[in-house]
Amino acid sequence: MKLNLQLGVSSSATQIEGGDYSHNWNDWFQKGHIKDGSNPARAADHLNRWKEDIDIMAELGIRVYRLGIEWARLEPAPGGYNKDAAEWYRQLLTYMKSKDIIPLLTIHHFTNPMWFEEMGGFTQPANIPVFLGFVDYVIQRFGDLVDEYVTINEPNVFAVMGYFQGVFPPGERSMRTAFRVQSVMAACHIQAYSLIHKLRREMGYTNTKVGFAHHARVFTPRFKRNLWHRLCTCLVERFFQGALTRACLLGRFVFPLKKYGKLKRGEYADFLGLNYYTRSSVSGLGDGVRKGAPVNDLGWEIYPPGIAESAGQLQGLLPRPIYITENGTCDNNDTFRSRYIYEHLKALAESGLPVERYYHWCFTDNFEWCEGESARFGLVHVDYATQKRTIKKSGRFYAAIIKNQGVTDEIYKEFIEQEAYHF
Ligand code: BGC
């Protein structure tokens, strides 16, 4: 299989850096909501091991890296910025540059400083300028080192898990609030899109790229002939992702979302960022997994064609290059990750879609939110007690396909053929 796209890796600040900061995930941990009791202050200690991590990345041949920044670390108090933290990120970005690794910088990835959380975070339209203030700061501080930005990671997952299902902080259970959060975040994305372009233009750059990372799934009725299942599929699709896609990409706010502020219809993405993991089988207003479906270690269905189906849907709304900003799986023993990657890349390669980048989630094992350290998504194993890194078999597979720009027969034989788990 030949591949005509760039292969990279993805991460987020809270999940890898470690460090004790006053943010909503630290708070969630203090309240005892992390299943295995692990503390995000440990994570993968990237704070101290960043150089080693970038060296491993370079050794694997990776040239594009999607990374995050920790808002609570950069702005510990409203308007009070931490110079040392900014310097740390500048060093990291500069080191990446010396290794020819291009950053795609995520500004918000699930984590709010507690001061922002206490103001109501993204539930309050009045807080939109607060987020934009941070965006402004980020561009002033890092705009000379970064050309490409993800404004917000997965507004739908953030809203649904935190405000409807109550499993992410702040643990609310209100559908109305979840829709409001999606609406406010969409407004934040649209305004951040324009702001980043404006600021970078003023700095003299013309090669800026901005998008958001959309978590999209394939939704399918549990029983195709069941009218109720079909109706729920339409509703869940719209509530979880369909309305948000239109709002963020095009500034079109349809039910159940609301437009906050003067937002014009337009085109608010230079690339289509897609985080794809799974398919949901719908029989009510919730999630479901098809009986007998192949699943990963967290019970999520593995459905490779869905990556191309989801990318195709985005492309149908706005024709832009596609960046798979996340795709990966929880495979604690690394027994099927290589096949997972292979099958998803194959689906993309055969789709004929303009996919330019594929950022695998994740580079090293990391703090997997509510699951803590117990769910491993990385190409590189982390022993959390010693923080020792070991490249997994799937990591070597990934390096081999980068080197060969595809999967040769030899690579297939060496890495995929013996993997027992088929999907
Ligand atoms: C999130 C990541 C997370 C991954 C696996 C995505 O929804 O953006 O932060 O680790 O899924 O659960």
Side-chain angles (χ1 to χ4, degrees), residues 258-314:
K258 218 175 134 186
K259 185 156 77 170
Y260 291 108
K262 288 192 196 107
L263 304 169
K264 286 202 199 113
R265 288 196 181 190
E267 297 183 345
Y268 297 108
D270 306 311
F271 57 85
L272 300 167
L274 170 65
N275 295 358
Y276 175 79
Y277 287 90
T278 190
R279 167 164 79 168
S280 282
S281 174
V282 182
S283 56
L285 289 183
D287 232 355
V289 176
R290 196 170 54 86
K291 222 173 144 211
V295 293
N296 73 6
D297 290 355
L298 290 175
W300 305 354
E301 178 175 355
I302 300 176
Y303 179 62
I307 196 168
E309 289 171 30
S310 298
Q313 278 168 12
L314 296 181

Side-chain angles (χ1 to χ4, degrees), residues 30-58:
Q30 306 286 351
K31 289 180 174 148
H33 293 297
I34 310 301
K35 284 186 194 152
D36 64 352
S38 51
N39 186 342
R42 173 157 92 167
D45 193 32
H46 183 68
L47 206 52
N48 296 306
R49 291 162 203 267
W50 57 274
K51 223 175 197 169
E52 180 188 349
D53 287 341
I54 300 301
D55 286 344
I56 301 174
M57 221 176 265

Side-chain angles (χ1 to χ4, degrees), residues 15 109-110 153-154 215 275 277 300 326 361 368-369 377:
Q15 291 179 272
H109 194 131
F110 292 173
N153 181 71
E154 302 187 347
H215 181 113
N275 295 358
Y277 287 90
W300 305 354
E326 286 181 29
W361 185 274
E368 175 53 30
W369 308 117
F377 278 75

Side-chain angles (χ1 to χ4, degrees), residues 67-104:
L67 72 161
I69 43 181
E70 191 62 86
W71 186 2
R73 193 176 153 207
L74 284 164
E75 192 180 359
Y81 296 101
N82 180 333
K83 274 201 190 126
D84 294 345
E87 209 31 61
W88 184 90
Y89 285 110
R90 288 195 62 84
Q91 261 190 38
L92 168 67
L93 291 163
T94 309
Y95 192 63
M96 283 170 58
K97 204 169 190 173
S98 76
K99 298 274 171 183
D100 289 327
I101 299 175
I102 300 170
L104 170 61

Side-chain angles (χ1 to χ4, degrees), residues 8-10 154 215 274-278 295-298 300-304 307 324-331 336-342 344-345 358-363 368 376-379 394 398 423:
V9 285
S10 195
E154 302 187 347
H215 181 113
L274 170 65
N275 295 358
Y276 175 79
Y277 287 90
T278 190
V295 293
N296 73 6
D297 290 355
L298 290 175
W300 305 354
E301 178 175 355
I302 300 176
Y303 179 62
I307 196 168
I324 303 300
T325 33
E326 286 181 29
N327 173 241
T329 196
C330 177
D331 172 14
F336 57 87
R337 183 174 287 102
S338 302
R339 182 180 294 277
Y340 181 99
I341 295 170
Y342 172 75
H344 284 79
L345 287 175
Y358 171 95
Y359 293 90
H360 186 73
W361 185 274
C362 193
F363 178 53
E368 175 53 30
R376 295 182 181 272
F377 278 75
L379 295 171
S394 55
Y398 206 58
F423 29 82

